[in-house]
Amino acid sequence: MAGFWGKRRREEEAARQAQDDDLARRARAALVAADERIRTTSDELEFAVAELGESTTVPLREGLAAVRTHLAEAFHLHQLNHDEIPDTAEELRTRNARIVQLCEWAEDVLDERTEALRGRIALARQAPQIIEGIRADVERLRSRLPLARETVARLSGRYSEAALHRVAANPDEAEQLLDFALHSADVSVRRREARRPEEANLALETATEAVRRASTIMDGVEDFEIEALRAQSTLADVVADSRQDIVAARPFTQAGAPHAAEVTAAVATLEAALAALPGPGTPSDPFTDLASLREANAGLDAAVEKARLRAARPLPSIEQVRHSVDAADHAIAVANSVIAGHRGYIGADARTRLAEAQRLRAEVNELVVPEDTREQALTLARRVQQLAGEALQAAQRDIDSGRPGGDDWGGDGWGGGRRGRGYGGGGDILGPVVGGLLLGGLMGDIFD
């Protein structure tokens, strides 16, 4: 058995040594890779400064400084591993793990900082091609300006000035942006020739954005015509639907119908919206007309739906509500009488339900008369009655459990159990009385 355990221990030590050797190799390789990466990135930084300028490359420069500081710690740890002072296996393991951690962190920092500049550097190196593309795009978009102006003029005879306001100035704005894009491209060239890369790149980005915006504005003219035609088609459908809704709503406007006044007002609003629509051949704003008509149509739909729901569930009469209120009052009175007459028996449950019933009862009065709250008053009154009934049931259980033969009362001697003891016979009568006196604080005066 001893030989077995000895062999097992030697195998474990060999496995641990193999892991330590692998960690040491990883630490050495990571140190070399990180140091080489710092040297390579330092060269890249010089090129980036030449391409982008000093301020743009500040994050990369700061990242390099931090990495050099931490890599110095890694080299120091590696030196400790190879000095003349003997080290334990745990010390070597800890240092090598720290070296790997520092080197991986250095690689991550440099990856992040160089990646952030990669796009800018590519843009700067491709500046001549980009500027050539900007000038070609400007000429292509300029060729579209006459058609855009013609489209706006043609649409002005079909749509109102308010509708065309969103695109009427688009051709002029696009032309200004195209002029600005050419000017910015020329500035970028001159700044790069003057070895001012930051300003050159900023001007190049500005020119690119100006061309993009000009293209979007030009497309907006064509998009407006398409969307306006679509809105007109939808408007015709909504007009037909609105007229059908008005006919369907007429029965709900009759006297005595639920929410008749509200439905009548919604019908009038929708009829006014229909009447306000411009006639055929009149310049219009289909977007505004459609939004107005949809809003009025939705208002009528909501009013009719409310009336339908009320018709399916009629509003309770005021007599019905008052009957429920009277029943609630009676239930409260009964529960209160029982609890007041047997206070010594009554526990927290019965008292709590009675208190809640009384609290809700105070809210019912304000809800009885207005029609829009009458249903709520009926529901609340029924809840009051339910709570009062629960209070009465709980009180009765407390009383039954406290009488002779119940849980708290015995049947022997001076009234029996722990409540009646010492009060003389008839504990079932004196119990609640004495309990009430205890609650009232008079026990000391009577039994002095």
Side-chain angles (χ1 to χ4, degrees), residues 79-194:
Q79 176 62 34
L80 292 177
N81 286 345
H82 297 84
D83 60 13
E84 66 281 0
I85 302 175
D87 300 305
T88 65
E90 182 62 29
E91 289 174 336
L92 291 172
R93 192 179 302 120
T94 301
R95 289 174 190 156
N96 286 328
R98 176 62 174 165
I99 290 171
V100 172
Q101 180 186 30
L102 289 171
C103 292
E104 290 178 348
W105 174 84
E107 295 273 4
D108 290 342
V109 169
L110 295 180
D111 284 344
E112 177 186 354
R113 301 299 171 90
T114 54
E115 185 63 29
L117 294 178
R118 196 179 306 279
R120 289 177 174 270
I121 292 174
L123 179 67
R125 290 176 178 174
Q126 298 172 7
Q129 296 89 336
I130 294 174
I131 289 176
E132 184 179 349
I134 288 173
R135 288 172 175 161
D137 289 340
V138 167
E139 293 304 315
R140 176 178 56 81
L141 291 173
R142 279 188 189 280
S143 66
R144 293 175 54 188
L145 286 173
L147 179 60
R149 289 192 170 96
E150 179 185 340
T151 301
V152 170
R154 176 168 49 81
L155 294 177
S156 63
R158 186 187 307 169
Y159 302 110
S160 66
E161 183 178 350
L164 277 177
H165 178 71
R166 67 191 73 184
V167 296
N170 280 24
D172 293 337
E173 291 178 1
E175 187 173 20
Q176 293 175 3
L177 285 169
L178 294 176
D179 291 341
F180 182 68
L182 282 180
H183 173 71
S184 298
D186 293 340
V187 169
S188 177
V189 172
R190 291 195 295 270
R191 291 295 188 272
R192 197 168 301 280
E193 291 173 349

Side-chain angles (χ1 to χ4, degrees), residues 325 329 360-370 373 377 380:
V325 172
D329 289 340
L360 294 179
R361 175 61 183 87
E363 299 179 8
V364 174
N365 288 337
E366 301 176 1
L367 305 173
V368 173
V369 177
T373 59
L380 199 60

Side-chain angles (χ1 to χ4, degrees), residues 323-324 327-329 331-332 357 380-390:
H323 176 75
S324 294
D329 289 340
I332 289 177
L380 199 60
R382 288 172 176 171
R383 176 59 178 161
V384 170
Q385 186 177 359
Q386 177 186 358
L387 285 169
E390 292 175 358

Side-chain angles (χ1 to χ4, degrees), residues 345 401-411 415-420 427-428 430-432:
Y345 294 122
S401 66
R403 285 175 173 166
D407 294 337
D408 293 334
W409 288 80
R418 54 184 176 275
R419 289 191 184 178
D428 56 325
L430 288 179

